Amino acid sequence: MKIMKPAYLQLGSEELKKRVDILYKKMKSCDICPRKCRVNRLSGQIGACRVTNLPSVASYGPHFGEESFLVGQNGSGTIFFNGCNLSCIYCQNWTISQVHTDEEITIEQLANIMLKIQTIGCHNLNLVTPTHQIAMIIHALSIAIKDGLNIPIVYNCGGYESVETLQLLNGVVDIYMPDFKYGDDALALKYSGVHDYVKIATDALKEMYKQVGGLKIENTITMRGVFVRHLVLPNDISRTEKVFEIISSISTEIPVNVMNQYHPTYKAYNCPELSRRISQAEYMKAIEMAKRYGLTIIN
């Protein structure tokens, strides 16, 4: 069987350098993500993500809590990036996404982390919350490739993505793993602090699917494609049915991980409607909705 190679190995160093230059230029009046903060991150200014122009990493290493087709035997090679372009009041990783310390590293150090992940045998390079740091990530990637990096890249994001930025990742990212958090803009604004979430997440998912298509698995490990995570929130705050309707309208080839692990944390206790775990009945209702819209359920 022919083994699928990571897309970035076919791009060429000059094309990758061109993409990096464009991404850094976008940071001068930052519109990397749909927030369009317009701050000059190259001169040290910060916007909603609270990260400037150097990588900021919370932790890295093999992770065995991801989907089985990412984990395999040796784990998914996660790099958890500090900061986030969302402000979810119930964020399960709030200590690194919302109130992180600004511990910055060099581009070369990030490239070395990528190579270490490959050396220990991880099946992929899983970039967790990469959106706001993507210029530095692709810069580091260009260095790591020269030193032999050759494992697939997973773009593990919150779904609030700029199509223009995603287009610069075409041929770089192998596996897209976005959240699709809400089917209602007012709820997205209230609980995650962003406008127009539904349209933006929909357009982003369309672009991801256009680039990599449905999920492809070789020997139980995925090498390419897109799938969606949807965290079921109590009291249907996520408007789950609308989310599944949107995903299925793009393609029923896009599988969904319907997640039941919500628990109140960070500022969720300030909201009575978010201050409990979901019930088994709420979760099973979400599962049935996904099936009704013809979506494949994964975990």
Side-chain angles (χ1 to χ4, degrees), residues 38-105:
R38 299 295 181 187
V39 298
N40 186 348
R41 292 171 62 190
L42 300 183
S43 67
Q45 295 178 0
I46 58 173
C49 68
R50 297 173 296 281
V51 174
T52 58
N53 65 333
L54 283 174
S56 183
V57 172
S59 64
Y60 65 90
H63 188 25
F64 293 88
E66 304 284 60
E67 286 77 2
S68 59
F69 49 81
L70 292 177
V71 169
Q73 291 186 336
N74 300 328
S76 181
T78 51
I79 304 178
F80 284 87
F81 292 95
N82 285 319
C84 186
N85 69 332
L86 297 173
S87 302
C88 302
I89 66 172
Y90 53 85
C91 181
Q92 316 287 287
N93 291 324
W94 64 273
T95 55
I96 63 175
S97 68
Q98 307 298 326
V99 295
H100 67 89
T101 56
D102 296 319
E103 295 182 0
E104 297 176 333
I105 61 175

Side-chain angles (χ1 to χ4, degrees), residues 161-217:
E161 303 289 319
S162 160
V163 170
E164 184 180 54
T165 299
L166 289 175
Q167 288 170 343
L168 293 169
L169 304 183
N170 190 7
V172 178
V173 170
D174 300 286
I175 302 155
Y176 282 106
M177 182 169 60
D179 293 337
F180 206 124
K181 295 180 179 293
Y182 306 98
D184 183 287
D185 284 334
L187 295 173
L189 180 60
K190 180 176 181 180
Y191 298 112
S192 293
V194 290
H195 294 273
D196 302 322
Y197 179 89
V198 177
K199 183 180 188 310
I200 287 168
T202 300
D203 290 347
L205 184 57
K206 287 179 181 177
E207 177 62 26
M208 293 173 186
Y209 179 70
K210 178 181 176 183
Q211 290 184 22
V212 298
L215 204 61
K216 299 168 185 65
I217 298 175

Side-chain angles (χ1 to χ4, degrees), residues 36 47 100 119:
K36 293 183 169 63
H100 67 89
T119 299

Side-chain angles (χ1 to χ4, degrees), residues 122-189:
C122 293
H123 298 286
N124 44 63
L125 186 62
N126 188 340
L127 309 172
V128 184
T129 323
T131 307
H132 55 298
Q133 298 198 45
I134 195 59
M136 296 84 85
I137 291 169
I138 304 304
H139 189 180
L141 178 68
S142 68
I143 296 171
I145 290 170
K146 292 177 182 177
D147 289 329
L149 188 74
N150 61 7
I151 55 176
I153 290 178
V154 182
Y155 192 86
N156 182 346
C157 68
Y160 195 66
E161 303 289 319
S162 160
V163 170
E164 184 180 54
T165 299
L166 289 175
Q167 288 170 343
L168 293 169
L169 304 183
N170 190 7
V172 178
V173 170
D174 300 286
I175 302 155
Y176 282 106
M177 182 169 60
D179 293 337
F180 206 124
K181 295 180 179 293
Y182 306 98
D184 183 287
D185 284 334
L187 295 173
L189 180 60

